[in-house]
Amino acid sequence: MNRLIKILFVFCLLVLPFFFGTLSHARPPRPGVNFGWVAAHISSNGIHIPGHWKHTGSPVKGKTWVLGHYNASGKWVPGHWKYLRAPRKPGKAWVPGHRGPRGRWIAGHWR
């Protein structure tokens, strides 16, 4: 009986947390101060829209906020800034904003 209690104890400590870890959810980091969180919902035509950030501030000169959307292959693309007319920097390439390996937002930059 004592051995059974030890096995259950080890199971609860080592195995059970992995099941609850898959149920946890966190918002991605806020891209800026003028953003509001839109909770996950089902659109009027039955498509699941995951939670995402929406720009709520005044327009930014030379940029537009592209709302999160599904691309042609069906993958969710998070919202991001897009230049209306990208500035030119000879010998440089623009890297759009993206999430790094640890999920942190990396703003668009020249490389």
Side-chain angles (χ1 to χ4, degrees):
M1 184 69 173
N2 202 10
R3 184 173 180 206
L4 180 61
I5 292 173
K6 286 181 183 179
I7 291 172
L8 285 173
F9 182 73
V10 170
F11 176 79
C12 289
L13 284 179
L14 298 179
V15 177
L16 215 50
F18 290 105
F19 292 109
F20 290 114
T22 59
L23 299 175
S24 64
H25 173 73
R27 291 181 186 174
R30 182 186 301 244
V33 292
N34 294 321
F35 287 84
W37 181 254
V38 177
H41 61 280
I42 305 294
S43 69
S44 58
N45 55 356
I47 298 173
H48 176 264
I49 307 295
H52 59 279
W53 292 105
K54 180 180 179 183
H55 185 254
T56 56
S58 56
V60 177
K61 184 178 179 183
K63 294 181 185 180
T64 185
W65 178 255
V66 178
L67 291 173
H69 60 280
Y70 287 102
N71 63 13
S73 63
K75 184 179 177 186
W76 177 257
V77 178
H80 57 277
W81 286 109
K82 181 177 180 181
Y83 277 106
L84 297 175
R85 191 170 20 146
R88 304 275 183 227
K89 288 200 175 187
K92 303 273 183 172
W94 177 253
V95 179
H98 59 280
R99 304 235 176 262
R102 295 183 180 170
R104 185 173 178 201
W105 178 254
I106 300 170
H109 57 278
W110 290 99
R111 179 181 287 174

